[in-house]
Amino acid sequence: MRKNKAGEYINATNAYKYEEEECAKSSRGLRFLLLLPIPLSRRDISTLVHGHCQSERKMFVATVTLAFVVAYVSAEIPSYIHVCGRKDPNLDECILKNVENLRSKICEGIPELNVEPLEPLYIDKIDIISTDNLKISVTDVYISNLCNYEIKYFHLDLAKKHFDVELLFKRIYINMTYGMDARILVPVAMKGKIGITSDNVEAKAGIDLKVINKNGKEYVYVSNINLDIDIKEYKADLSSINDRDLALMRQLSENVISNNQQEMLRMLKPVLEDVVSKQIFRFANAIVKHFTYDELFPDRT
């Protein structure tokens, strides 16, 4: 709360009046009179000072109002997000163009919206086999080249708040640390770096949206994802395991990873789908939480 010159607090109602009185007493009003080239009576001076200070007060209000407007505009949807009207007969095409425009943003992240980069996708640990005699896991998994994708199919049903999308990832790279703890004849514990490359990875997703009311405004967010990832085959690079002491690990790794691809994929599939789904949740909701439903999908064509 503001104070007057006596050190007393004044409320908002009296603040404007106080500001006007101070303006009339100060040299701001007198300097204003010096600019006028005609003689003035005391009444004229009083009227002019009062009018000038009224103008200053209005200017102060306008400045504060402008500050609020600027703050509001700066929180509006960024230029790189193209708004699609919910009545647009070509809504799917409009959204697809939007996704294409956002391709680089998806990979690099959007700092102004606190959205982290999608790539590389990180997974701390995946347990592949866990039995009493054999434990195989991979840690520090980094999946890259995810932005090299093609959208094969997309359809949004706003009435049902649901959309389906099919993607083709032309090539993905997976780098990780492979660990094995085997108790066959003698205990063997090993670790090593492994690289995996897979081409033409297909992904199909059914995504549900939900609209909620918050502070009198409607917001939309991703509520559920059904994801199906299809990795048909891959190539494993075990060249980093080249020490003679790791010959046994290399042989076991080739038998497990390279020669049993379908079994490996069967175990990896649900883990990958879960991790990628969570990443989609985080990325999509981190963007849409900043804007209302009407801002993202205005009621127009």
Side-chain angles (χ1 to χ4, degrees):
M1 186 176 291
R2 186 173 178 179
K3 292 182 179 180
N4 58 22
K5 288 187 176 181
E8 300 170 335
Y9 287 102
I10 54 176
N11 58 31
T13 304
N14 295 325
Y16 287 134
K17 183 178 180 181
Y18 173 77
E19 176 67 21
E20 184 180 340
E21 291 173 352
E22 288 300 305
C23 173
K25 295 176 184 178
S26 70
S27 60
R28 286 181 294 173
L30 295 178
R31 283 197 300 267
F32 167 70
L33 296 178
L34 294 176
L35 297 177
L36 300 177
I38 56 176
L40 298 170
S41 67
R42 182 179 297 272
R43 176 176 295 181
D44 292 333
I45 292 174
S46 176
T47 302
L48 287 170
V49 168
H50 178 76
H52 171 66
C53 292
Q54 285 276 15
S55 298
E56 283 204 354
R57 189 181 75 176
K58 292 177 181 178
M59 181 62 70
F60 171 76
V61 174
T63 302
V64 173
T65 303
L66 179 60
F68 278 107
V69 171
V70 170
Y72 173 79
V73 171
S74 65
E76 287 186 345
I77 296 179
S79 59
Y80 49 78
I81 298 180
H82 179 65
V83 174
C84 300
R86 68 184 80 164
K87 293 180 180 179
D88 188 339
N90 300 311
L91 181 59
D92 288 349
E93 288 78 3
C94 178
I95 294 176
L96 284 176
K97 289 180 181 178
N98 216 357
V99 172
E100 187 61 32
N101 291 337
L102 283 170
R103 185 187 292 260
S104 63
K105 293 286 185 180
I106 292 172
C107 294
E108 300 168 3
I110 311 175
E112 59 268 32
L113 298 180
N114 296 320
V115 177
E116 297 180 356
L118 176 65
E119 187 176 312
L121 181 62
Y122 175 76
I123 306 172
D124 57 350
K125 183 180 181 181
I126 300 175
D127 290 316
I128 300 173
I129 298 175
S130 183
T131 66
D132 293 338
N133 296 323
L134 180 62
K135 297 183 186 300
I136 300 176
S137 64
V138 291
T139 58
D140 293 331
V141 182
Y142 291 91
I143 306 175
S144 57
N145 206 40
L146 293 173
C147 286
N148 185 18
Y149 64 82
E150 179 183 346
I151 302 176
K152 306 295 290 185
Y153 174 80
F154 178 87
H155 177 63
L156 170 64
D157 189 331
L158 268 182
K160 296 181 179 179
K161 303 295 185 293
H162 177 89
F163 69 88
D164 296 292
V165 61
E166 296 180 11
L167 300 172
L168 174 66
F169 296 93
K170 298 177 182 179
R171 172 170 290 184
I172 62 172
Y173 301 101
I174 306 176
N175 293 292
M176 55 193 174
T177 300
Y178 177 76
M180 178 186 295
D181 187 356
R183 290 175 174 82
I184 305 173
L185 297 177
V186 293
V188 178
M190 311 171 188
K191 275 189 176 183
K193 297 288 186 180
I194 291 179
I196 286 179
T197 304
S198 182
D199 294 336
N200 299 320
V201 176
E202 296 180 350
K204 297 179 180 180
I207 300 177
D208 295 320
L209 306 174
K210 188 173 182 178
V211 177
I212 61 171
N213 191 289
K214 183 179 179 182
N215 299 325
K217 295 181 179 181
E218 290 187 330
Y219 292 84
V220 63
Y221 70 96
V222 175
S223 60
N224 184 59
I225 300 176
N226 289 317
L227 181 63
D228 180 17
I229 297 177
D230 183 16
I231 302 177
K232 297 177 177 61
E233 61 180 5
Y234 59 82
K235 295 178 181 179
D237 180 10
L238 307 174
S239 60
S240 63
I241 308 175
N242 53 16
D243 194 295
R244 291 182 179 180
D245 296 335
L246 297 178
L248 178 58
M249 179 182 176
R250 185 185 180 98
Q251 182 180 355
L252 291 173
S253 299
E254 286 179 343
N255 288 335
V256 174
I257 296 178
S258 298
N259 301 331
N260 293 280
Q261 289 200 13
Q262 293 307 310
E263 182 64 17
M264 281 285 294
L265 290 172
R266 185 186 68 80
M267 291 182 287
L268 285 172
K269 177 180 168 69
V271 178
L272 285 175
E273 290 173 345
D274 179 63
V275 171
V276 173
S277 295
K278 289 177 180 177
Q279 188 71 6
I280 295 173
F281 265 113
R282 285 195 295 268
F283 188 89
N285 288 332
I287 294 177
V288 299
K289 73 178 182 181
H290 295 278
F291 315 110
T292 67
Y293 179 64
D294 284 335
E295 286 174 327
L296 291 171
F297 299 103
D299 189 14
R300 59 169 173 77
T301 56

